[in-house]
Amino acid sequence: MNRARPVQIVSGRHPFEIAVLLAVLICGVVLMVTDRRPASVAAAMPAGVQAAWQVGLVVAGVIGLAALAWPGSLPTSMGVELVSMVALGTSTSMYAVALYVVSGMNAIAAGAFIVAVAVASWARVGQIIRDLRRVARAAEQGLTADVPLLMERER
């Protein structure tokens, strides 16, 4: 028998997500203001792609933080977060490729962290898409969607 459990939300967002979004925003802004780029990015990407990469970092941070504080409906907040995670996944994937192309296995430490953020971003994209589909199906039927929470505990 599938019994509904009472759910209490422990925290609105994961501290890791907030920290990564803040870090990516700060990095993107600093890179744009100082007009500096990591050596691997400068070596592996044409100038236009470098600029797009920097903008992607800022967009991911700004939009992601806005999604976390979104006062409106859950589906809208999830849609905004989806845009942020696509930008973050794209930007970190680009950086990981640049790191490994330029530095090979010498980039293992930095590259591993960047790849982890990219993989987590793309995994979150998949989660959000799945949850938005559930919300849409439920709305069509006049029901409430069953969207799993990232953090929950039983009373």
Side-chain angles (χ1 to χ4, degrees):
M1 173 183 260
N2 188 6
R3 289 181 36 192
R5 300 180 306 179
V7 175
Q8 175 183 8
I9 297 180
V10 178
S11 171
R13 298 293 177 187
H14 289 277
F16 291 108
E17 182 177 10
I18 295 168
V20 168
L21 290 170
L22 278 172
V24 77
L25 173 60
I26 292 167
C27 287
V29 168
V30 169
L31 290 168
M32 290 175 84
V33 168
T34 63
D35 197 32
R36 294 183 180 253
R37 289 154 187 86
S40 56
V41 169
M45 296 180 196
V49 175
Q50 292 176 35
W53 172 73
Q54 289 175 321
V55 169
L57 294 174
V58 174
V59 165
V62 169
I63 293 177
L65 292 170
L68 299 181
W70 196 265
S73 70
L74 177 63
T76 303
S77 171
M78 290 168 57
V80 173
E81 185 183 3
L82 177 64
V83 171
S84 170
M85 291 298 105
V86 168
L88 183 58
T90 301
S91 297
T92 52
S93 296
M94 290 168 67
Y95 188 35
V97 169
L99 275 171
Y100 286 115
V101 164
V102 172
S103 301
M105 290 308 290
N106 290 331
I108 194 71
F113 283 98
I114 299 303
V115 167
V117 173
V119 168
S121 300
W122 291 117
R124 184 67 185 133
V125 165
Q127 288 176 332
I128 294 169
I129 289 170
R130 182 189 66 233
D131 291 345
L132 284 172
R133 286 181 181 153
R134 287 180 181 162
V135 169
R137 276 194 307 269
E140 288 172 1
Q141 298 172 1
L143 303 172
T144 302
D146 180 22
V147 177
L149 298 172
L150 294 177
M151 297 178 72
E152 64 179 64
R153 72 173 167 209
E154 293 184 43
R155 287 188 196 204

